[in-house]
Amino acid sequence: MLKNYLKIAWRNLIKDKTNTSLNIIGLSVAFAVAILLGMAALYQLSFDNFHENGASIYKIVRTQQTPKGPEAGTVQPAPLTPSLRAEVPGVKRITRYLQDGTLAFYNDKEVDMDVVWVDNDFFSMFSFPISNGNENEPLNDLSAVVLTKKAANRLFGSTDVIGKTVNLLVNGVEKPFTVSAITEDIVPQSSLDFEIAARFESHRDYFKNKEEWDSQYHDVYVELEDGVTASGFENSSKSFIDLHYKESIERLRRDGASSDSNGRFIDLRLVPMTDVHFTSLKSGFIEISRSMPYLILGVAFLILFIACVNYINMSIAKSAKRLKEIGMRKTLGAQKSQLFFQFWSESLFVFLVSIGIGILLTLVLMNDFKTLFNTHISAEMLLRPMVIFGLLGMVLIISMLVGGYPALLMSRLGTIQSLKGKLEATGDNKVRDVLMVFQFGIAILLIIGTLVLWGQIEYMRNKDLGYDKEQVVSFPLNGKRNSNDVVELLRDELRGNPDIISVSGADNNLGLGKDGSRSHSKIGFEYKGRAVTTNFLVVDHEYIKTLGLQLVEGRDFESAADSLGVVINEAMAKELGEEDPLTAQLEIEDGLYYPVLGVIKDYNFNDLDRDIEPITFYMSREWGLTYAYAKVAPKHMADSFEALERTWKKLEPNAEFLGSFLDENVDRTFKREKTTAKMISSGSIIAIILSCMGLFAMSMLIVSQRTKEIGIRKVVGASVTSITYILTKDFLKLVFFAFLIASPIAWYIMQKWLQNYAYRIDLSIWFFVSAGAIAIVIALLTIGTRTIKAARANPVKSLRTE
């Protein structure tokens, strides 16, 4: 019996090559896209899931109530970790974590590497497998370091390097370390990334901050004892906080901060390790959101849904040609169940072929997909037995649901109705219309999302940030020379080049450079009996000039001799509350007061999802610089860039030049938004194409049902235009209803998304009008050819069909 079903199914599918091809193409593309998007989403959701002790590992976040509202941060003071271990019950293991960049030296080789400064418990807590060396306590010695395989090969050319000495640049001095172990390379799904791991106590800032509770500059991860919950630990730490942060709490009360609902001013909160990648603190609260991977899964589902709706409608359209076959089978004694399985076997065959082609398309397109969407999926994910069985199970379920509906519809037709060869309009048409409305509604929703996303990206890309981003190049000072000295040398070397306007430096980059490193420094100090917090930037005396920042009061730094003064922005001037901010004296260091030399106009030194905050510029050779800035003339910009690279190579021959213009840096900061926009754009294009295939199927069905009506209208004198209008208006009604449903949903979603940005576009009505117009035009183009062909047909032939 099964063999007979399959044989007849094959014959029917081959006989109607057009419909079969459209079904297989649509479903294959939908399966391929859904698989790729699903893999990308699962990759995102798998972040930090590989740690064996992950269920009991947490990242510590400090929350506090300030006069301006709640704040939350992950950076902690150096004495917090040993004090928590000694004073709060439930700590099994704990480690500080400070990510940094440093130069590593071996013989004549000099390599810039990512280093993390951690405690001895680090490799016992986290699952970074040791492939060679000390597996139990690789960082037991203060002079020990652990390298990844990739780092060992870069530095030594081999992984057989246990016991060898590598020098790291610590506070401007080469310090020897011994390689104690080699780990496997860090997997892409890790929030913790490094090339070298060294003891936290060996970091340059450790000894001066060892007992300083006000100096916060590193993260802390804790592993709890079995049976200890996160909430239990948080409650246990309250007395600890009250003891060690007593002065901070008193200052918050004095300055007018309001306690939280539990009467607390400062607390320690724990974020599960598996949630760290999805955590945001910018609102002052711990917000954990997996919206991105779920959005990707949602797009995958919607595209698959559209393809399935297409299949249902095309199957119903095709059934009009098989009514007499159904009637003959029923006349000869075929039961409903036999007819159902006959038609369902055709659907199953189509779905199996489609999933096979879809998997092949996935493998073919995977590399391009990874590049376009910046993901690290691999074919190994697809070839896992669980995934293969999952895909087969999905095909069976979808084919039963999607293929089952038209099969059930056709098997329920009456014998006489079937033999007449007439498929009457019934309530099933309403189901078909509802499905089409949802199908086109999804496409319109994705089009609106695409337009809004790209609109916001273009707004951020073109916004005036308050500094010259088109003509300024930044690059990390990753050489071995003193950073202040190398900026002076750059300035001297380039002074005779007319295309280099000025050179300066700072201890932070604007945007995201090629090195991928970002950091922000904040300090707090007492000012006239209240606590003041400001972003803190160490700069060279030509920084303001180089960046083209606008001075609104006072003066700029004139030379290195101005190191006892500061320059602030308008937000900081407002924070100080002085009528004349130039009269302010800031106690940045204990007992040392720095006069405000000038005030600059506010500029966007943070990402555009944040408001402009107070910032203070300060000059100090002791703190050092980490990035150089060079302003170039608008002409010969490529030549100027090459001149910078040549000069850098001359001064630091072993250090890589990682220069980029600031507009490129800014562009990198919304890489996530661009990836999302690309994904939604691709989804909307595929959704429109699949929806058009569904419209084409509907036009086939409607025309086949109204053939006699068309013939009669032609006989009584109806024009091609009027017949085309009659046939088209029903389709356009469906598109219009889809637009009415999709628009408010899209408005709500995009309005909430835009609230994430302090600087954002207005949600104009033209986004919605444009999406509706695009949908209508594409629908007209899709159904126009079919309906015009039907309207132009010979009425004699039309009447004979009935």
Side-chain angles (χ1 to χ4, degrees):
M1 181 68 72
L2 180 61
K3 181 180 178 182
N4 186 50
Y5 284 150
L6 294 175
K7 187 184 293 184
I8 296 173
W10 171 254
R11 288 174 180 172
N12 285 323
L13 292 172
I14 288 296
K15 185 170 64 176
D16 194 355
K17 294 183 177 64
T18 301
N19 272 315
T20 302
S21 300
L22 286 173
N23 276 325
I24 290 177
I25 291 171
L27 287 169
S28 299
V29 170
F31 275 126
V33 172
I35 291 170
L36 287 169
L37 292 177
M39 291 170 68
L42 292 176
Y43 164 78
Q44 287 285 330
L45 292 170
S46 69
F47 257 79
D48 299 315
N49 283 338
F50 61 92
H51 298 294
E52 292 180 10
N53 304 322
S56 56
I57 297 177
Y58 300 85
K59 187 174 186 177
I60 295 180
V61 174
R62 191 182 78 163
T63 61
Q64 67 178 25
Q65 307 300 313
T66 72
K68 293 183 178 181
E71 290 182 356
T74 61
V75 289
Q76 310 296 343
L80 177 75
T81 295
S83 300
L84 274 176
R85 188 197 301 271
E87 301 174 29
V88 179
V91 177
K92 184 176 183 180
R93 299 184 185 98
I94 191 167
T95 181
R96 291 164 286 201
Y97 181 90
L98 176 59
Q99 195 164 19
D100 200 0
T102 191
L103 283 176
F105 304 91
Y106 177 70
N107 293 336
D108 295 331
K109 188 174 286 188
E110 178 182 323
V111 182
D112 188 21
M113 288 195 169
D114 293 327
V115 60
V116 293
W117 307 89
V118 296
D119 286 296
N120 192 31
D121 282 344
F122 182 76
F123 285 98
S124 300
M125 293 173 60
F126 298 102
S127 301
F128 296 113
I130 303 293
S131 61
N132 194 10
N134 186 345
E135 296 183 11
N136 297 322
E137 291 186 314
L139 293 178
N140 189 39
D141 195 299
L142 289 179
S143 63
V145 292
V146 178
L147 276 68
T148 63
K149 283 185 174 181
K150 182 179 178 181
N153 282 315
R154 284 182 65 198
L155 190 60
F156 297 99
S158 168
T159 57
D160 187 17
V161 294
I162 303 302
K164 289 189 177 182
T165 300
V166 57
N167 288 344
L168 301 182
L169 194 66
V170 179
N171 204 22
V173 178
E174 291 185 33
K175 186 176 179 180
F177 291 84
T178 303
V179 179
S180 64
I182 301 295
T183 71
E184 298 291 338
D185 290 331
I186 310 301
V187 296
Q189 304 99 303
S190 175
S191 296
L192 308 177
D193 191 19
F194 61 89
E195 293 177 291
I196 300 177
R199 280 291 290 269
F200 184 83
E201 294 88 340
S202 298
H203 188 261
R204 62 180 180 272
D205 294 332
Y206 172 70
F207 285 105
K208 68 179 180 182
N209 294 309
K210 184 178 179 181
E211 303 298 334
E212 295 294 329
W213 285 86
D214 290 332
S215 181
Q216 302 161 29
Y217 63 102
H218 62 81
D219 296 337
V220 175
Y221 292 88
V222 62
E223 181 183 351
L224 301 181
E225 296 277 5
D226 294 340
V228 178
T229 64
S231 59
F233 178 85
E234 290 170 353
N235 289 328
S236 300
S237 68
K238 289 181 178 179
S239 58
F240 173 89
I241 291 293
D242 293 340
L243 173 64
H244 292 284
Y245 289 91
K246 183 178 179 180
E247 292 183 4
S248 298
I249 294 171
E250 289 176 353
R251 284 196 296 266
L252 291 172
R253 281 198 182 102
R254 179 200 66 191
D255 295 340
S258 300
S259 62
D260 63 14
S261 57
N262 297 315
R264 305 286 301 172
F265 286 89
I266 299 178
D267 271 318
L268 293 183
R269 301 295 183 192
L270 300 186
V271 176
M273 189 64 207
T274 51
D275 291 338
V276 168
H277 180 70
F278 307 99
T279 300
S280 170
L281 306 176
K282 66 182 181 182
S283 64
F285 300 95
I286 298 174
E287 296 178 340
I288 300 171
S289 173
R290 289 176 170 80
S291 57
M292 173 60 82
Y294 290 141
L295 173 65
I296 296 171
L297 283 176
V299 173
F301 171 78
L302 293 178
I303 289 173
L304 201 56
F305 175 80
I306 289 174
C308 291
V309 169
N310 277 350
Y311 182 82
I312 292 174
N313 288 332
M314 294 179 78
S315 296
I316 295 173
K318 187 173 65 173
S319 66
K321 300 178 181 179
R322 300 182 63 179
L323 294 177
K324 291 185 178 179
E325 173 195 341
I326 295 169
M328 288 297 297
R329 287 178 179 275
K330 286 203 165 190
T331 302
L332 295 173
Q335 301 297 315
K336 287 183 179 179
S337 59
Q338 293 174 312
L339 287 172
F340 174 83
F341 281 107
Q342 175 61 62
F343 291 117
W344 178 72
S345 64
E346 295 179 17
S347 300
L348 180 61
F349 186 86
V350 169
F351 275 87
L352 288 173
V353 171
S354 299
I355 191 65
I357 296 174
I359 292 173
L360 290 176
L361 285 173
T362 299
L363 296 174
V364 169
L365 298 174
M366 186 171 293
N367 288 333
D368 293 330
F369 181 85
K370 288 164 64 176
T371 302
L372 183 63
F373 298 113
N374 192 33
T375 184
H376 295 274
I377 61 173
S378 63
E380 287 74 16
M381 294 174 63
L382 188 61
L383 299 177
R384 293 172 187 167
M386 287 184 63
V387 175
I388 293 174
F389 286 117
L391 288 174
L392 290 175
M394 179 182 70
V395 169
L396 288 174
I397 293 172
I398 292 177
S399 65
M400 181 61 73
L401 294 174
V402 176
Y405 171 69
L408 183 64
L409 177 66
M410 288 186 280
S411 65
R412 289 171 57 191
L413 291 173
T415 306
I416 296 175
Q417 179 187 357
S418 302
L419 288 172
K420 284 182 177 180
K422 184 177 181 181
L423 185 63
E424 296 179 354
T426 63
D428 296 314
N429 287 348
K430 293 181 180 179
V431 174
R432 178 202 65 205
D433 290 348
V434 168
L435 289 174
M436 287 304 301
V437 168
F438 271 104
Q439 185 184 49
F440 242 87
I442 292 167
I444 293 170
L445 181 68
L446 292 174
I447 293 171
I448 294 172
T450 298
L451 296 176
V452 175
L453 278 166
W454 284 114
Q456 176 65 14
I457 289 171
E458 285 302 309
Y459 170 78
M460 293 190 294
R461 180 179 288 158
N462 297 319
K463 186 183 184 303
D464 181 6
L465 301 180
Y467 58 87
D468 189 350
K469 60 182 180 180
E470 284 81 17
Q471 290 179 237
V472 179
V473 178
S474 73
F475 53 94
L477 298 172
N478 53 0
K480 62 193 298 185
R481 293 177 184 267
N482 176 276
S483 59
N484 287 279
D485 291 341
V486 80
V487 169
E488 286 293 342
L489 288 170
L490 281 167
R491 187 178 289 130
D492 292 339
E493 289 283 337
L494 295 165
R495 198 180 305 277
N497 190 328
D499 292 325
I500 307 297
I501 298 172
S502 62
V503 175
S504 188
D507 72 342
N508 193 13
N509 202 358
L510 284 169
L512 186 63
K514 286 184 178 179
D515 60 336
S517 177
R518 306 187 77 182
S519 65
H520 293 281
S521 299
K522 284 191 175 185
I523 60 167
F525 54 88
E526 291 286 312
Y527 183 75
K528 293 188 175 181
R530 61 187 177 90
V532 173
T533 302
T534 175
N535 288 273
F536 194 66
L537 188 66
V538 178
V539 300
D540 172 79
H541 65 276
E542 291 193 16
Y543 183 77
I544 293 173
K545 170 188 172 183
T546 302
L547 252 44
L549 300 175
Q550 184 179 341
L551 202 65
V552 294
E553 287 188 68
R555 65 178 179 85
D556 188 2
F557 296 113
E558 293 177 352
S559 68
D562 280 331
S563 59
L564 293 179
V566 296
V567 174
I568 62 176
N569 69 343
E570 292 174 311
M572 182 60 180
K574 184 178 180 181
E575 181 76 12
L576 296 175
E578 297 287 356
E579 186 175 340
D580 182 4
L582 300 181
T583 62
Q585 301 271 335
L586 310 185
E587 190 183 3
I588 293 175
E589 298 180 41
D590 291 338
L592 288 178
Y593 288 84
Y594 292 78
V596 175
L597 303 177
V599 179
I600 60 167
K601 186 178 177 63
D602 283 339
Y603 72 103
N604 293 95
F605 58 90
N606 283 326
D607 293 347
L608 291 177
D609 58 354
R610 293 175 179 241
D611 287 315
I612 294 175
E613 299 174 344
I615 190 169
T616 300
F617 294 168
Y618 169 76
M619 291 197 300
S620 170
R621 289 188 64 87
E622 180 184 348
W623 288 68
L625 310 171
T626 54
Y627 288 88
Y629 293 83
K631 186 171 186 175
V632 302
K635 295 182 179 179
H636 313 118
M637 295 178 73
D639 294 337
S640 301
F641 190 87
E642 291 176 3
L644 286 170
E645 184 172 8
R646 284 195 305 270
T647 306
W648 176 252
K649 286 295 183 183
K650 178 181 177 181
L651 298 175
E652 295 283 6
N654 294 319
E656 186 179 4
F657 180 74
L658 297 172
S660 59
F661 284 92
L662 292 186
D663 57 348
E664 297 173 324
N665 291 1
V666 172
D667 202 52
R668 291 188 190 98
T669 62
F670 39 86
K671 180 173 65 175
R672 178 178 178 180
E673 285 83 357
K674 290 198 292 185
T675 300
T676 305
K678 288 177 185 176
M679 200 165 289
I680 301 297
S681 301
S682 303
S684 62
I685 291 170
I686 293 170
I688 281 291
I689 293 172
L690 294 176
S691 297
C692 290
M693 292 172 65
L695 274 182
F696 181 76
M698 277 196 65
S699 66
M700 290 175 61
L701 175 62
I702 298 299
V703 168
S704 66
Q705 289 178 341
R706 303 177 70 174
T707 303
K708 187 174 182 180
E709 176 192 343
I710 293 169
I712 294 173
R713 288 182 180 275
K714 289 273 284 183
V715 169
V716 298
S719 65
V720 172
T721 304
S722 62
I723 293 175
T724 302
Y725 169 75
I726 291 170
L727 295 175
T728 305
K729 67 177 182 179
D730 293 330
F731 300 128
L732 296 183
K733 282 181 183 178
L734 296 178
V735 176
F736 181 70
F737 287 143
F739 173 76
L740 292 180
I741 293 172
S743 292
I745 297 173
W747 181 87
Y748 175 77
I749 294 172
M750 300 318 298
Q751 186 72 17
K752 288 201 70 174
W753 178 74
L754 287 171
Q755 296 305 313
N756 293 320
Y757 298 90
Y759 301 91
R760 53 185 178 266
I761 59 173
D762 294 325
L763 202 53
S764 168
I765 191 174
W766 293 110
F767 287 119
F768 303 91
V769 172
S770 299
I774 290 170
I776 289 172
V777 169
I778 292 175
L780 283 173
L781 292 175
T782 302
I783 62 180
T785 53
R786 183 68 187 176
T787 53
I788 290 172
K789 181 180 178 182
R792 291 171 62 87
N794 189 333
V796 176
K797 291 183 178 180
S798 300
L799 292 170
R800 281 177 178 174
T801 60
E802 296 281 339

